[in-house]
Amino acid sequence: MLQHSNTHDQFEDTPPQVINHIDHVGIIVYPENVDKYVKLLSRVLNITFDEPIVNHDAGVIAVLSWGSGFEIMAPMRKEGRYWEKLERFGEGTCTIIFGVEDIDAAIARAKEEGADLDFEVTLEGDEPWLQRFSEFREARLKAFSDEFAATLTLSQIVPK
């Protein structure tokens, strides 16, 4: 059973830092289906999601359920990396976000093993959930071939 951090009463559904384990899973869907999948997962799994956020740099709309580990993502435009994945593999394509203790060391290790850094996630700074964390970094790796539907992202997400 997932234990929740009680260090910040306002955000009791914030899980503890995850190290060497899957932190959460991001599922890519078409923009017009974000609400449909959020409602479906909310009802079927009895979970709650935060309000949607927009990340202009990444070009996505994302809705997170911190307590369950689900993230629903949709591209904002009919172009870019998320749109291309969606068009190629369809809805349900996912990114696996894997928690690490030291993201810089993990990126260096990945590069040594032939998995280059694709990009580091840049936050807008106004995400309503950002105040839950003392540190929040994510870095997408080029770990799999283009024929592989899923992607791998490293995360160093430390709750307050």
Side-chain angles (χ1 to χ4, degrees):
M1 183 173 168
L2 182 66
Q3 295 181 349
H4 300 289
S5 170
N6 291 323
T7 57
H8 200 283
D9 292 338
Q10 184 180 2
F11 304 117
E12 61 187 44
D13 66 334
T14 303
Q17 182 180 10
V18 176
I19 299 172
N20 293 332
H21 195 275
I22 293 174
D23 182 87
H24 64 285
V25 176
I27 302 168
I28 304 171
V29 302
Y30 285 105
E32 61 270 19
N33 292 332
V34 169
D35 288 341
K36 175 176 96 173
Y37 289 116
V38 166
K39 288 175 184 173
L40 175 71
L41 289 173
S42 295
R43 288 190 318 267
V44 170
L45 301 176
N46 195 30
I47 59 176
T48 58
F49 285 82
D50 286 349
E51 292 298 313
I53 59 123
V54 174
N55 185 313
H56 295 282
D57 186 58
V60 296
I61 298 165
V63 188
L64 293 116
S65 172
W66 290 107
S68 72
F70 276 106
E71 177 178 8
I72 303 296
M73 303 181 300
M76 294 171 54
R77 295 173 293 285
K78 293 182 178 184
E79 62 184 14
R81 63 177 68 95
Y82 293 101
W83 180 258
E84 290 165 8
K85 275 282 189 190
L86 190 55
E87 284 290 286
R88 183 166 187 183
F89 296 107
E91 290 187 312
T93 301
C94 67
T95 186
I96 302 161
I97 298 91
F98 191 82
V100 296
E101 186 170 17
D102 180 339
I103 198 165
D104 293 315
I107 292 169
R109 183 174 50 254
K111 286 180 179 179
E112 287 173 8
E113 297 300 324
D116 289 329
L117 176 66
D118 190 7
F119 65 93
E120 189 158 346
V121 174
T122 304
L123 298 177
E124 301 282 315
D126 61 352
E127 293 83 358
W129 43 260
L130 191 56
Q131 60 188 327
R132 297 171 181 244
F133 306 103
S134 60
E135 189 165 2
F136 190 102
R137 289 182 64 197
E138 291 183 336
R140 172 79 51 85
L141 297 178
K142 291 181 185 176
F144 306 124
S145 75
D146 290 341
E147 301 306 312
F148 200 79
T151 57
L152 181 62
T153 299
L154 301 174
S155 70
Q156 185 174 337
I157 302 173
V158 182
K160 287 185 178 177

PDB file of all heavy atoms in Angstrom, residues 55-76:
ATOM      1  N   ASN A  55       1.632  23.403 -19.892  1.00  0.00           N
ATOM      2  CA  ASN A  55       3.070  23.624 -19.968  1.00  0.00           C
ATOM      3  C   ASN A  55       3.379  24.023 -21.403  1.00  0.00           C
ATOM      4  O   ASN A  55       3.425  23.176 -22.300  1.00  0.00           O
ATOM      5  CB  ASN A  55       3.844  22.372 -19.555  1.00  0.00           C
ATOM      6  CG  ASN A  55       5.334  22.618 -19.500  1.00  0.00           C
ATOM      7  OD1 ASN A  55       5.914  23.193 -20.401  1.00  0.00           O
ATOM      8  ND2 ASN A  55       5.959  22.156 -18.427  1.00  0.00           N
ATOM      9  N   HIS A  56       3.539  25.328 -21.610  1.00  0.00           N
ATOM     10  CA  HIS A  56       3.756  25.850 -22.958  1.00  0.00           C
ATOM     11  C   HIS A  56       5.065  25.356 -23.553  1.00  0.00           C
ATOM     12  O   HIS A  56       5.141  25.073 -24.749  1.00  0.00           O
ATOM     13  CB  HIS A  56       3.700  27.375 -22.954  1.00  0.00           C
ATOM     14  CG  HIS A  56       2.354  27.909 -22.598  1.00  0.00           C
ATOM     15  ND1 HIS A  56       1.313  27.943 -23.501  1.00  0.00           N
ATOM     16  CD2 HIS A  56       1.856  28.391 -21.429  1.00  0.00           C
ATOM     17  CE1 HIS A  56       0.234  28.441 -22.915  1.00  0.00           C
ATOM     18  NE2 HIS A  56       0.543  28.715 -21.653  1.00  0.00           N
ATOM     19  N   ASP A  57       6.115  25.252 -22.709  1.00  0.00           N
ATOM     20  CA  ASP A  57       7.418  24.812 -23.192  1.00  0.00           C
ATOM     21  C   ASP A  57       7.342  23.390 -23.754  1.00  0.00           C
ATOM     22  O   ASP A  57       7.868  23.097 -24.811  1.00  0.00           O
ATOM     23  CB  ASP A  57       8.459  24.889 -22.069  1.00  0.00           C
ATOM     24  CG  ASP A  57       9.851  24.592 -22.560  1.00  0.00           C
ATOM     25  OD1 ASP A  57      10.325  25.294 -23.471  1.00  0.00           O
ATOM     26  OD2 ASP A  57      10.470  23.636 -22.043  1.00  0.00           O
ATOM     27  N   ALA A  58       6.666  22.496 -23.032  1.00  0.00           N
ATOM     28  CA  ALA A  58       6.515  21.112 -23.484  1.00  0.00           C
ATOM     29  C   ALA A  58       5.402  20.970 -24.513  1.00  0.00           C
ATOM     30  O   ALA A  58       5.335  19.970 -25.226  1.00  0.00           O
ATOM     31  CB  ALA A  58       6.239  20.198 -22.294  1.00  0.00           C
ATOM     32  N   GLY A  59       4.494  21.945 -24.561  1.00  0.00           N
ATOM     33  CA  GLY A  59       3.383  21.885 -25.505  1.00  0.00           C
ATOM     34  C   GLY A  59       2.300  20.913 -25.101  1.00  0.00           C
ATOM     35  O   GLY A  59       1.671  20.299 -25.965  1.00  0.00           O
ATOM     36  N   VAL A  60       2.080  20.761 -23.786  1.00  0.00           N
ATOM     37  CA  VAL A  60       1.072  19.809 -23.317  1.00  0.00           C
ATOM     38  C   VAL A  60       0.157  20.403 -22.255  1.00  0.00           C
ATOM     39  O   VAL A  60       0.502  21.353 -21.566  1.00  0.00           O
ATOM     40  CB  VAL A  60       1.701  18.521 -22.708  1.00  0.00           C
ATOM     41  CG1 VAL A  60       2.470  17.742 -23.728  1.00  0.00           C
ATOM     42  CG2 VAL A  60       2.532  18.819 -21.497  1.00  0.00           C
ATOM     43  N   ILE A  61      -0.999  19.795 -22.187  1.00  0.00           N
ATOM     44  CA  ILE A  61      -1.934  19.981 -21.077  1.00  0.00           C
ATOM     45  C   ILE A  61      -1.799  18.699 -20.260  1.00  0.00           C
ATOM     46  O   ILE A  61      -1.791  17.603 -20.833  1.00  0.00           O
ATOM     47  CB  ILE A  61      -3.376  20.143 -21.584  1.00  0.00           C
ATOM     48  CG1 ILE A  61      -3.483  21.383 -22.468  1.00  0.00           C
ATOM     49  CG2 ILE A  61      -4.361  20.189 -20.424  1.00  0.00           C
ATOM     50  CD1 ILE A  61      -4.747  21.424 -23.300  1.00  0.00           C
ATOM     51  N   ALA A  62      -1.681  18.824 -18.945  1.00  0.00           N
ATOM     52  CA  ALA A  62      -1.523  17.640 -18.104  1.00  0.00           C
ATOM     53  C   ALA A  62      -2.459  17.727 -16.906  1.00  0.00           C
ATOM     54  O   ALA A  62      -2.687  18.806 -16.356  1.00  0.00           O
ATOM     55  CB  ALA A  62      -0.083  17.513 -17.628  1.00  0.00           C
ATOM     56  N   VAL A  63      -2.998  16.580 -16.536  1.00  0.00           N
ATOM     57  CA  VAL A  63      -3.852  16.469 -15.357  1.00  0.00           C
ATOM     58  C   VAL A  63      -3.261  15.342 -14.520  1.00  0.00           C
ATOM     59  O   VAL A  63      -3.115  14.216 -15.012  1.00  0.00           O
ATOM     60  CB  VAL A  63      -5.316  16.164 -15.728  1.00  0.00           C
ATOM     61  CG1 VAL A  63      -6.201  16.255 -14.495  1.00  0.00           C
ATOM     62  CG2 VAL A  63      -5.820  17.099 -16.812  1.00  0.00           C
ATOM     63  N   LEU A  64      -2.915  15.665 -13.262  1.00  0.00           N
ATOM     64  CA  LEU A  64      -2.217  14.695 -12.419  1.00  0.00           C
ATOM     65  C   LEU A  64      -3.054  14.233 -11.244  1.00  0.00           C
ATOM     66  O   LEU A  64      -3.806  15.013 -10.664  1.00  0.00           O
ATOM     67  CB  LEU A  64      -0.925  15.326 -11.890  1.00  0.00           C
ATOM     68  CG  LEU A  64       0.091  15.591 -12.986  1.00  0.00           C
ATOM     69  CD1 LEU A  64       0.349  17.059 -13.118  1.00  0.00           C
ATOM     70  CD2 LEU A  64       1.346  14.820 -12.706  1.00  0.00           C
ATOM     71  N   SER A  65      -2.858  12.976 -10.908  1.00  0.00           N
ATOM     72  CA  SER A  65      -3.398  12.405  -9.681  1.00  0.00           C
ATOM     73  C   SER A  65      -2.189  11.955  -8.872  1.00  0.00           C
ATOM     74  O   SER A  65      -1.672  10.856  -9.058  1.00  0.00           O
ATOM     75  CB  SER A  65      -4.312  11.216  -9.979  1.00  0.00           C
ATOM     76  OG  SER A  65      -4.671  10.575  -8.774  1.00  0.00           O
ATOM     77  N   TRP A  66      -1.713  12.839  -8.006  1.00  0.00           N
ATOM     78  CA  TRP A  66      -0.482  12.555  -7.259  1.00  0.00           C
ATOM     79  C   TRP A  66      -0.628  11.333  -6.375  1.00  0.00           C
ATOM     80  O   TRP A  66       0.297  10.543  -6.236  1.00  0.00           O
ATOM     81  CB  TRP A  66      -0.054  13.763  -6.438  1.00  0.00           C
ATOM     82  CG  TRP A  66       0.426  14.861  -7.316  1.00  0.00           C
ATOM     83  CD1 TRP A  66      -0.213  16.032  -7.595  1.00  0.00           C
ATOM     84  CD2 TRP A  66       1.628  14.874  -8.078  1.00  0.00           C
ATOM     85  NE1 TRP A  66       0.523  16.762  -8.503  1.00  0.00           N
ATOM     86  CE2 TRP A  66       1.667  16.077  -8.800  1.00  0.00           C
ATOM     87  CE3 TRP A  66       2.688  13.980  -8.229  1.00  0.00           C
ATOM     88  CZ2 TRP A  66       2.710  16.414  -9.647  1.00  0.00           C
ATOM     89  CZ3 TRP A  66       3.735  14.321  -9.075  1.00  0.00           C
ATOM     90  CH2 TRP A  66       3.736  15.519  -9.769  1.00  0.00           C
ATOM     91  N   GLY A  67      -1.779  11.159  -5.774  1.00  0.00           N
ATOM     92  CA  GLY A  67      -1.975  10.034  -4.874  1.00  0.00           C
ATOM     93  C   GLY A  67      -1.964   8.686  -5.561  1.00  0.00           C
ATOM     94  O   GLY A  67      -1.591   7.677  -4.973  1.00  0.00           O
ATOM     95  N   SER A  68      -2.366   8.640  -6.845  1.00  0.00           N
ATOM     96  CA  SER A  68      -2.442   7.358  -7.548  1.00  0.00           C
ATOM     97  C   SER A  68      -1.273   7.109  -8.489  1.00  0.00           C
ATOM     98  O   SER A  68      -1.010   5.975  -8.859  1.00  0.00           O
ATOM     99  CB  SER A  68      -3.742   7.282  -8.349  1.00  0.00           C
ATOM    100  OG  SER A  68      -3.679   8.149  -9.465  1.00  0.00           O
ATOM    101  N   GLY A  69      -0.608   8.169  -8.928  1.00  0.00           N
ATOM    102  CA  GLY A  69       0.498   7.995  -9.861  1.00  0.00           C
ATOM    103  C   GLY A  69       0.099   8.032 -11.327  1.00  0.00           C
ATOM    104  O   GLY A  69       0.843   7.578 -12.183  1.00  0.00           O
ATOM    105  N   PHE A  70      -1.080   8.583 -11.631  1.00  0.00           N
ATOM    106  CA  PHE A  70      -1.516   8.730 -13.018  1.00  0.00           C
ATOM    107  C   PHE A  70      -1.383  10.180 -13.468  1.00  0.00           C
ATOM    108  O   PHE A  70      -1.679  11.110 -12.716  1.00  0.00           O
ATOM    109  CB  PHE A  70      -2.985   8.324 -13.200  1.00  0.00           C
ATOM    110  CG  PHE A  70      -3.196   6.859 -13.383  1.00  0.00           C
ATOM    111  CD1 PHE A  70      -3.715   6.093 -12.362  1.00  0.00           C
ATOM    112  CD2 PHE A  70      -2.894   6.241 -14.589  1.00  0.00           C
ATOM    113  CE1 PHE A  70      -3.921   4.737 -12.517  1.00  0.00           C
ATOM    114  CE2 PHE A  70      -3.100   4.884 -14.764  1.00  0.00           C
ATOM    115  CZ  PHE A  70      -3.612   4.137 -13.726  1.00  0.00           C
ATOM    116  N   GLU A  71      -0.973  10.349 -14.708  1.00  0.00           N
ATOM    117  CA  GLU A  71      -0.927  11.659 -15.359  1.00  0.00           C
ATOM    118  C   GLU A  71      -1.524  11.488 -16.748  1.00  0.00           C
ATOM    119  O   GLU A  71      -1.099  10.620 -17.509  1.00  0.00           O
ATOM    120  CB  GLU A  71       0.516  12.148 -15.460  1.00  0.00           C
ATOM    121  CG  GLU A  71       0.672  13.463 -16.183  1.00  0.00           C
ATOM    122  CD  GLU A  71       2.126  13.946 -16.232  1.00  0.00           C
ATOM    123  OE1 GLU A  71       3.040  13.188 -15.837  1.00  0.00           O
ATOM    124  OE2 GLU A  71       2.340  15.074 -16.685  1.00  0.00           O
ATOM    125  N   ILE A  72      -2.536  12.285 -17.058  1.00  0.00           N
ATOM    126  CA  ILE A  72      -3.129  12.284 -18.394  1.00  0.00           C
ATOM    127  C   ILE A  72      -2.560  13.504 -19.111  1.00  0.00           C
ATOM    128  O   ILE A  72      -2.633  14.627 -18.598  1.00  0.00           O
ATOM    129  CB  ILE A  72      -4.670  12.372 -18.325  1.00  0.00           C
ATOM    130  CG1 ILE A  72      -5.261  11.225 -17.495  1.00  0.00           C
ATOM    131  CG2 ILE A  72      -5.260  12.405 -19.733  1.00  0.00           C
ATOM    132  CD1 ILE A  72      -5.036   9.851 -18.062  1.00  0.00           C
ATOM    133  N   MET A  73      -1.970  13.290 -20.289  1.00  0.00           N
ATOM    134  CA  MET A  73      -1.333  14.369 -21.040  1.00  0.00           C
ATOM    135  C   MET A  73      -1.920  14.439 -22.442  1.00  0.00           C
ATOM    136  O   MET A  73      -2.254  13.404 -23.026  1.00  0.00           O
ATOM    137  CB  MET A  73       0.174  14.112 -21.168  1.00  0.00           C
ATOM    138  CG  MET A  73       0.889  13.950 -19.853  1.00  0.00           C
ATOM    139  SD  MET A  73       2.667  13.680 -20.072  1.00  0.00           S
ATOM    140  CE  MET A  73       2.712  12.196 -21.037  1.00  0.00           C
ATOM    141  N   ALA A  74      -1.999  15.656 -22.958  1.00  0.00           N
ATOM    142  CA  ALA A  74      -2.468  15.849 -24.330  1.00  0.00           C
ATOM    143  C   ALA A  74      -1.679  16.979 -24.973  1.00  0.00           C
ATOM    144  O   ALA A  74      -1.396  17.996 -24.323  1.00  0.00           O
ATOM    145  CB  ALA A  74      -3.957  16.193 -24.340  1.00  0.00           C
ATOM    146  N   PRO A  75      -1.307  16.812 -26.235  1.00  0.00           N
ATOM    147  CA  PRO A  75      -0.599  17.888 -26.927  1.00  0.00           C
ATOM    148  C   PRO A  75      -1.519  19.093 -27.129  1.00  0.00           C
ATOM    149  O   PRO A  75      -2.723  18.942 -27.312  1.00  0.00           O
ATOM    150  CB  PRO A  75      -0.209  17.263 -28.269  1.00  0.00           C
ATOM    151  CG  PRO A  75      -1.153  16.130 -28.461  1.00  0.00           C
ATOM    152  CD  PRO A  75      -1.557  15.664 -27.094  1.00  0.00           C
ATOM    153  N   MET A  76      -0.931  20.277 -27.064  1.00  0.00           N
ATOM    154  CA  MET A  76      -1.700  21.507 -27.253  1.00  0.00           C
ATOM    155  C   MET A  76      -1.879  21.840 -28.729  1.00  0.00           C
ATOM    156  O   MET A  76      -2.795  22.564 -29.092  1.00  0.00           O
ATOM    157  CB  MET A  76      -0.994  22.673 -26.557  1.00  0.00           C
ATOM    158  CG  MET A  76      -0.950  22.523 -25.050  1.00  0.00           C
ATOM    159  SD  MET A  76       0.117  23.760 -24.255  1.00  0.00           S
ATOM    160  CE  MET A  76      -0.521  25.282 -24.889  1.00  0.00           C
TER     161      MET A  76
END
